[in-house]
Amino acid sequence: MSYRTADSLPPVTLDDVRGAQKMLTGVARVTAMEGSRHLSQLVGAPVHLKCENLQRTGSFKLRGAYVRIAGLLPEERAAGVVAASAGNHAQGVALASSLLGVRSTVFMPKGAPLPKISATQDYGAEVRLHGQVVDETLAAAQEYAAETGAVFIHPFDHPDVIAGQGTVGLEILEQCLEVRTIVVGIGGGGLAAGIAMAVKSLRPDVRIVGVQAAGAAAYPPSLAAGRPVAVENPVTMADGIRVGRPGDVPFRIIGDLVDEVRTVTEDALATALLLCLERAKLVVEPAGASPVAALLSDPGAFEGPVVAVLSGGNVDPVLLQRVLRHGMAAQGRYLAVRLRLTDRPGALATLLGVLSVVDANVLDVSHVRTDPRLGLTEAEVELHLETKGPVHCVEVGQALRDAGYTVID
C-alpha cells in the first residue's frame, strides 16, 4: 500500500476534535480531574491532575487509536490493522480494534514487559515479538503492512490520532474553566498537539507547556532547527515518551501552538512518580509523571490554575520497584553504604545497634567475608537503609564514622 506524506495529510481542526469527542462517547472515559494540595502549595496556585492513567487500557492512547480505526474505509477494515508499540499504543489499538470488529496484529519488542504483552493479547490482538528496540519493531510492522495490506496505525503521526488525543483538551476546559496553564508530556507529540489544537482554538490565553525527558528530548533541537531532528539512542526510564524523532504532523502543530517545551531529569521523574503514589494515591508510569516532574523542578514557572496531564499508568511492577527506590534516594530517603569492619562474632550486631540508635531502618544487608580485596580479619557490609531525608543521611554517615567504621564511597 502507499503512504501519504505529512504535507499531503489534512490539518487537524477544532471540528475534527469535536467530531472525535462524539465518536468516543461511550468508548473512552471522561477521566477524573483531581486536585493536589501538595503541588498547589508548592506552585502557589491550584494544581489539578488530569487522570488519563485511569482511562481504559491505562492511558490516553485508546482515544486516538479508536478514532483512526473507526475512520477506515470498509475495505481497509477488512484488511485488518497493524501497529508497533512497547505497551500503551499496543493496548489502545488492540481494544479499539476489538470494539470495532477489526482484526489487529501488534508487533512488540522482545523485551517488552510480560504484563503489557498479556494485556494486549487479552484485548484481542495477535502479538508478534520482534526486535530489541522499538525502531526495529516499527520496521517489522511496516513491512507486515506492505506485505499483507493491513493498515498501519501510527502511534502519533496522523491527523485522526491527534484529533482523538485532542479530546483530552476539551475535557480539561470543561472540568477546569479557570485553567491558565496545561502541562503535558511529549514523546512523538500526538497528545500535546491534540490538546494544543483543541485548547488554543477555544482559549488562546491558556499556556501549553510540553515536557520531555532530558535523555530523549528531540523537540528542543527540532524546534530550533525548524524541522524534525532525530536524537540518536534516546535513553530514559520513561518509555512512553522515549521517541527519537518528532512526528511530522504533530511537529507542525506543536511548533505553532505549544508555548514552551521543558526537559526533566531522571531523578525528577522518579521523585514525581513517588509523589503521585504517596500523595495522590495514583499509580502513574514515568512518562505520565513527567508534567509533575516539571512542576517539582521549577514550581515558580507556572501560572495557575495548572492542569498536569497524567498520561498513563501502565508501569511494569519490576520497573516500579526500581523507580520508587530511585525516587526515595533522590529525596534523601534511601541510603546505600558500604563499609569495612573486623570479622569477629557479634560485629554485625554491633553495627546494626549503631544504626538503631540513629533511627535508620535497615532494608537489606549484604555481608561479604571472602574476597581478595579484604584482609584476613576483615569483612565488607553493604547496607540499604530507609532514612528521613538528606540531613538524616548525613547524620547516619557521621554516626558510622564516629563508631570507628570505614565507610567506602
Side-chain angles (χ1 to χ4, degrees), residues 50-68:
K50 176 61 172 168
C51 300
E52 281 297 290
N53 59 311
L54 303 180
Q55 183 57 262
R56 297 178 71 180
T57 74
S59 87
F60 69 96
K61 289 288 189 179
L62 171 65
R63 297 173 183 263
Y66 188 91
V67 173
R68 173 75 173 100

Side-chain angles (χ1 to χ4, degrees), residues 139-334:
Q142 291 175 324
E143 182 179 347
Y144 177 88
E147 292 175 351
T148 66
V151 179
F152 178 68
I153 307 299
H154 200 284
F156 50 81
D157 207 9
H158 194 280
D160 291 347
V161 173
I162 294 171
Q165 320 305 27
T167 59
V168 176
L170 294 182
E171 290 178 16
I172 290 172
L173 294 183
E174 293 164 0
Q175 294 171 311
C176 185
L177 299 176
E178 67 280 14
V179 62
R180 295 293 299 170
T181 306
I182 296 174
V183 191
V184 55
I186 299 181
L191 178 61
I195 289 175
M197 174 58 66
V199 172
K200 289 289 191 178
S201 297
L202 296 168
R203 288 278 308 280
D205 60 301
V206 174
R207 184 172 178 81
I208 309 293
V209 178
V211 183
Q212 292 208 287
Y219 265 89
S222 296
L223 292 170
R227 58 180 174 79
V229 175
V231 172
E232 297 295 330
N233 301 317
V235 178
T236 175
M237 71 175 78
D239 58 348
I241 54 175
R242 189 174 59 220
V243 178
R245 182 185 184 279
D248 292 321
V249 182
F251 176 78
R252 287 183 291 164
I253 297 172
I254 287 172
D256 290 339
L257 299 179
V258 170
D259 296 283
E260 180 185 7
V261 176
R262 290 174 166 253
T263 61
V264 293
T265 66
E266 298 298 285
D267 281 352
L269 287 168
T271 300
L273 189 150
L274 182 61
L275 183 145
C276 288
L277 186 63
E278 288 189 328
R279 297 299 184 97
K281 314 306 177 188
L282 292 168
V283 176
V284 181
E285 61 190 89
S290 59
V292 175
L295 296 179
L296 293 175
S297 299
D298 191 5
F302 302 91
E303 181 184 0
V306 178
V307 173
V309 181
L310 307 183
S311 59
N314 292 318
V315 57
D316 178 47
V318 176
L319 175 62
L320 179 61
Q321 183 180 35
R322 287 167 44 206
V323 172
L324 290 178
R325 182 166 289 187
H326 190 83
M328 291 177 66
Q331 288 187 326
R333 295 167 52 192
Y334 177 86

